Amino acid sequence: NISTLTNATKTLTFDNGSADGEQTIPAKTSKVYTMEIKVTDTNASASVEYDFNFDLKDASVSQNQGGESSSSSVDLKWDSTNNYWYVTMGSTDTLNEIKWRLVGVEGERYTSTTKPTSGTGTFILETLIDSNALNKTFDSSDNDYATSDIRAYLNGDYKTFLSLTDDATYNAIAERSVADMYTDIGWNVDQENSSYAENAVYSISTTNSESDKLWLMSVAEVYTLLGGGTITDGTISYTWSTDVKNGCNWDADSYDDLYWLRSPYPDDSSVAFFVEDDGYWNLPPDPLTPAIRPAFNLEF
């Protein structure tokens, strides 16, 4: 509130944007109010009196599961039919609620019926939306995830498609560096062996400082977080049980359930892996184009 302003003009901004109206600060983030005062006549003095008045409101949501209520910036819900924890994020013209399944906490598979109270959870898209809208090519000629068309889509048009820009859950997501996505990228040849690919094998064409909120799962992550498998000395066992397969593709009933991974095929620079409808990871059959099940990390 400016009571007097002589020989000066003022500009008030919030997070480098308009400061008009009510503003929202997403959970675990900070925002900056800036007031700039410019003297109009440099040969004369400027006089100003101002008051800052902030009315802070708690925008957290209420959780209720099993009769237990709590308040948190993460609205973690329980699906009692299919037995998994999830959050909702985004919407489309035909869907008001899009589910994202909790598959891991602090890098470990999570299938407990007990609500996790702290830590960083990994969520993967539960609701496969209209396949025609989500079926995207990985890239026209390259399987390097950092520069792929599909990564550009996740960080661009996909946000618009799911109306994520102003979504509270999306804004609270912890970004993951692109460099980190190459530390466990993994590969598999003929479903017999899978090992971690070293960074030198697939060059990161972007700068190491780049990071994303949404990303595709790797072969290693699908096997350990979704399938419950284990990795010893960087090698994934080729044992592929029914339980593991069902965990990797819980919607498995048709080719519409194929979805991309970010792991490149080591012997062909134009091919990336995907998860089949029966839960196997494999190379995409031409001309079918897998859908996308992006993942993200969110701190409780």
Side-chain angles (χ1 to χ4, degrees), residues 80-101:
S80 58
T81 302
N82 299 295
N83 297 325
Y84 65 85
W85 294 99
Y86 70 95
V87 295
T88 58
M89 182 177 76
S91 62
T92 67
D93 293 339
T94 57
L95 286 174
N96 294 323
E97 181 181 77
I98 297 174
K99 293 182 177 181
W100 300 74
R101 179 189 290 222

Side-chain angles (χ1 to χ4, degrees), residues 43-278:
N43 294 317
S45 63
S47 176
V48 61
E49 296 179 5
Y50 52 84
D51 296 313
F52 289 107
N53 299 296
F54 290 94
D55 181 15
L56 303 179
K57 301 178 180 179
D58 184 3
S60 65
V61 295
S62 175
Q63 301 178 21
N64 192 305
Q65 192 276 325
E68 177 184 1
S69 296
S70 63
S71 181
S72 169
S73 59
V74 179
D75 188 12
L76 198 59
K77 302 176 182 178
W78 174 252
D79 186 311
S80 58
T81 302
N82 299 295
N83 297 325
Y84 65 85
W85 294 99
Y86 70 95
V87 295
T88 58
M89 182 177 76
S91 62
T92 67
D93 293 339
T94 57
L95 286 174
N96 294 323
E97 181 181 77
I98 297 174
K99 293 182 177 181
W100 300 74
R101 179 189 290 222
L102 175 66
V103 295
V105 175
E106 302 296 343
E108 301 291 334
R109 189 184 188 211
Y110 196 85
T111 58
S112 173
T113 58
T114 302
K115 180 188 293 184
T117 57
S118 63
T120 299
T122 299
F123 296 81
I124 185 171
L125 181 68
E126 163 73 22
T127 309
L128 261 185
I129 311 149
D130 179 9
S131 59
N132 292 327
L134 289 179
N135 284 8
K136 298 292 180 182
T137 56
F138 190 95
D139 196 279
S140 58
S141 59
D142 192 0
N143 61 8
D144 190 337
Y145 183 69
T147 56
S148 65
D149 294 338
I150 204 163
R151 178 182 170 236
Y153 174 67
L154 289 180
N155 289 279
D157 291 343
Y158 188 69
K159 291 167 56 179
T160 303
F161 172 59
L162 293 190
S163 305
L164 296 178
T165 303
D166 297 321
D167 189 284
T169 301
Y170 180 80
N171 289 326
I173 291 175
E175 292 191 350
R176 183 182 184 185
S177 70
V178 176
D180 181 63
M181 297 178 199
Y182 277 69
T183 60
D184 60 356
I185 201 163
W187 64 43
N188 173 270
V189 179
D190 296 329
Q191 299 171 8
E192 293 182 355
N193 185 58
S194 181
S195 60
Y196 288 115
E198 297 181 0
N199 288 355
V201 177
Y202 292 92
S203 61
I204 301 177
S205 302
T206 56
T207 63
N208 287 344
S209 61
E210 286 195 22
S211 58
D212 301 338
K213 287 179 177 286
L214 302 178
W215 30 269
L216 299 184
M217 300 282 278
S218 69
V219 168
E221 289 166 347
V222 160
Y223 190 81
T224 55
L225 295 183
L226 277 66
T230 57
I231 300 176
T232 303
D233 297 329
T235 300
I236 299 176
S237 169
Y238 58 81
T239 302
W240 199 240
S241 67
T242 300
D243 290 341
V244 171
K245 291 190 291 184
N246 291 343
C248 291
N249 201 335
W250 49 88
D251 269 352
D253 56 18
S254 71
Y255 272 117
D256 289 338
D257 297 324
L258 311 180
Y259 63 96
W260 283 111
L261 302 178
R262 70 177 187 274
S263 296
Y265 183 63
D267 295 332
D268 189 333
S269 63
S270 64
V271 180
F273 283 101
F274 79 109
V275 172
E276 290 184 319
D277 56 318
D278 60 3

